[in-house]
Amino acid sequence: MEIDKSKFKVWTWKQPLTLLWLINPVIAINELFLGQRIPKIMLVEKNSSKLLIEKTKVPCPHCKTIHSGLKWSTKNNAFKNWFGLYCDNCGKTIPCLTNFTSYLLLALTFPIWIWFKDKWKKAWLKNQPERYKNLDLENVPSPFEGYGWVRKGLNWGLFMFIFMTLIAPLIFSESITLTSTIIKFFGWAIAGLIYGYTMKLLAKRTNPK
Ligand SMILES: [Zn+2]
């Protein structure tokens, strides 16, 4: 597909921020549970002082439409994109990157989900057109600006801490000890901050050269 390189910088998996998305194990939660995905190819407008999310475009490899990245902002369809980003022009799916940890988890659980995948994908595709009817492409959300990332990251860490410390031991019949609880508390707080900061980097203003 033809891309006007004087207007756009092409982002693939080799870009530092997308690499971070691929290697950060925490991202597996975003991908597998929340369905938050990053397309294999993104275009970023050159010489623009807009927020990264505003100047990011997502090309559809099937119909060549260049979509506004805002279609997948947290105000619109940031989540539930388990099968990729839906193209509301041609109805096909824009291919996405897969985080290494997600990939590993998917490979390990393959015998379970393979039987349901086609059925799930069909149901998911059927639901997509409705999700793209009332998009808000005017308001740009940026919950990670300023120190928002600290709050977002710690909230996320707290959720993971509660889940992994109180619920996971019930499932895997581990015993809960004070030491392991304290270690997990700090571990998840740090993981939360790393997560928040990663999200901030992904959302912050940058000027691609
Ligand atoms: Zn398309």
Side-chain angles (χ1 to χ4, degrees), residues 6-45:
S6 64
K7 259 170 81 186
F8 297 109
K9 186 179 161 47
V10 181
W11 275 23
T12 60
W13 64 272
K14 291 177 218 157
Q15 218 281 333
L17 290 182
T18 41
L19 263 180
L20 207 58
W21 179 274
L22 289 179
I23 57 178
N24 185 351
V26 159
I27 294 293
I29 312 273
N30 295 56
E31 286 194 346
L32 300 179
F33 289 96
L34 306 175
Q36 196 175 19
R37 307 294 302 276
I38 283 196
K40 281 187 177 161
I41 293 173
M42 283 182 283
L43 306 175
V44 181
E45 272 176 29

Side-chain angles (χ1 to χ4, degrees), residues 60 62-63 87 89-90:
C60 172
H62 310 289
C63 69
C87 171
N89 184 52
C90 69

